[in-house]
Amino acid sequence: MKTRLKILWLQGVTCNGNTHSFLNYPHLSYILETFEFLYHPILPATYTLEEITTCAYECDILIFEGGYDSRMMRINTSMETLVNHYGSHARYVIAAGSCASFGGMLKQSDPEHITGLGFDQKELKGPFAQNDKLINLSGCPIHPEWMGYTLRMIAEKKPISVDELHRPKELYAYLAHHGCTRNEYFEWKVDAEHFGTKEGCLFYHQGCRGPMTHASCNKILWNEVSSKTRVGSPCFGCTEPDFPRTDMFETKTNMSIPQDVPFGISKRSYLTMAGIAKSFHIPRLEQRLIDDNA
Ligand code: SF4
């Protein structure tokens, strides 16, 4: 029988969101056939957590979920010991989710001690800072297809090109704005006035971070059918190191001018372009897409 690559899925300070999201991966059977889980908090695995904490084994891929706190204990072993042991033997270390990548949401519970595996927000910090093994799959939670893609690339011995924050470029070179069905509204500055509508862009009134967020949520759809912006909820920028921010349903403005504008565009250029676009009146974009009374 072909030897399967060994995965160890460890959890730090976590809400379990990435584990649960990954269970929605449509090709989970491929993962279970291709890899052996030495330990996973939910999926069938070879060893128990008690056995894993003896550090008597080695894995090919360490997947870490949650914020990293070196002092945290798993049974009688510190997280620092576990991560150092399994991470030093692994060929790849995958940070699953934004807490494992940058500290994320759970860093808020103890900002002094919780970091990602290689970054504290944007700053290099943690046991895998500047380590080429590290692959960050940021997101709150992780998109299951992104983990599936990464594991498949490893299984097929294909190179994974990463950006400066160690995120696979194939998944994170895009912006959440790319592929959003509201792009035409964005171009002509027709804004959604209310939460949850099918029409309008969510940038100006609803806090959408799509044009400033590296993520392929509108290219690789969630559950293969949808995304936040497609159902009328703004992108919160959950794949970026500064997540979470405050007041995520609001676009922060100074004198009615958005505080942040799309990547690569100066504020002056954005305002000029927005002013011209707004001067056009396009009745089609101001109507309901679907007339409930028709
Ligand atoms: S809703 Fe967000 S992602 Fe979609 S077009 Fe508007 S700004 Fe871009």
Side-chain angles (χ1 to χ4, degrees):
M1 189 180 157
K2 200 174 147 201
T3 317
R4 293 180 297 167
L5 290 170
K6 294 180 171 54
I7 294 178
L8 177 64
W9 186 302
L10 261 186
Q11 291 183 309
V13 186
T14 183
C15 68
N16 289 316
N18 300 290
T19 281
H20 285 273
S21 182
F22 184 56
L23 295 181
N24 288 310
Y25 182 48
H27 310 292
L28 199 54
S29 57
Y30 162 82
I31 298 293
L32 296 174
E33 283 159 16
T34 310
F35 299 92
E36 174 190 355
F37 279 92
L38 293 188
Y39 173 74
H40 187 282
I42 291 181
L43 289 170
T46 311
Y47 300 111
T48 62
L49 183 60
E50 283 82 355
E51 289 168 319
I52 285 300
T53 56
T54 61
C55 292
Y57 314 99
E58 292 177 10
C59 62
D60 300 299
I61 304 163
L62 171 64
I63 298 178
F64 189 86
E65 171 183 12
Y68 173 74
D69 183 341
S70 59
R71 308 162 309 159
M72 186 180 186
M73 298 300 288
R74 279 281 181 248
I75 317 291
N76 292 319
T77 310
S78 73
M79 191 53 78
E80 183 175 26
T81 302
L82 286 170
V83 164
N84 284 343
H85 170 77
Y86 288 107
S88 65
H89 291 97
R91 278 157 49 200
Y92 293 94
V93 174
I94 301 176
S98 288
C99 294
S101 299
F102 306 125
M105 187 68 83
L106 286 163
K107 179 176 174 59
Q108 314 302 309
S109 64
D110 188 350
E112 199 186 327
H113 295 106
I114 296 176
T115 66
L117 285 184
F119 289 86
D120 185 359
Q121 297 188 313
K122 261 192 163 169
E123 187 189 329
L124 285 167
K125 198 171 176 183
F128 293 94
Q130 287 186 310
N131 191 319
D132 289 343
K133 290 181 184 185
L134 179 65
I135 297 175
N136 280 334
L137 298 179
S138 56
C140 188
I142 187 176
H143 193 309
E145 299 270 0
W146 301 350
M147 177 63 86
Y149 161 84
T150 306
L151 292 177
R152 187 178 283 263
M153 292 293 278
I154 291 172
E156 294 179 3
K157 298 188 172 57
K158 292 185 176 159
I160 301 172
S161 172
V162 296
D163 66 14
E164 71 282 2
L165 294 172
H166 288 238
R167 300 176 296 192
K169 287 183 182 170
E170 186 62 35
L171 305 171
Y172 294 89
Y174 299 89
L175 300 177
H177 183 67
H178 294 160
C180 177
T181 49
R182 297 167 191 267
N183 274 185
E184 195 182 8
Y185 295 99
F186 179 86
E187 284 164 22
W188 298 107
K189 300 294 161 234
V190 178
D191 304 303
E193 299 293 333
H194 306 289
F195 181 70
T197 59
K198 287 186 169 60
E199 307 83 7
C201 172
L202 308 164
F203 180 69
Y204 198 76
H205 292 304
Q206 314 288 329
C208 187
R209 303 285 300 179
M212 293 86 87
T213 299
H214 293 94
S216 44
C217 296
N218 273 312
K219 175 174 172 272
I220 304 172
L221 298 175
W222 286 76
N223 293 329
E224 301 187 323
V225 292
S226 198
S227 71
K228 287 177 83 177
T229 60
R230 288 182 188 217
V231 296
S233 175
C235 164
F236 289 157
C238 74
T239 55
E240 295 296 332
D242 63 352
F243 178 80
R245 291 167 307 282
T246 54
D247 302 325
M248 291 192 282
F249 282 98
E250 285 174 23
T251 303
K252 294 183 177 58
T253 56
N254 282 328
M255 298 174 61
S256 303
I257 298 170
Q259 190 176 293
D260 297 323
V261 295
F263 276 148
I265 302 174
S266 72
K267 211 169 252 189
R268 180 185 292 233
S269 304
Y270 174 78
L271 291 174
T272 304
M273 186 208 57
I276 294 170
K278 263 188 183 292
S279 69
F280 289 86
H281 173 59
I282 306 173
R284 180 174 59 82
L285 296 181
E286 291 163 8
Q287 291 170 0
R288 299 289 307 270
L289 280 172
I290 299 167
D291 184 350
D292 294 336
N293 300 317

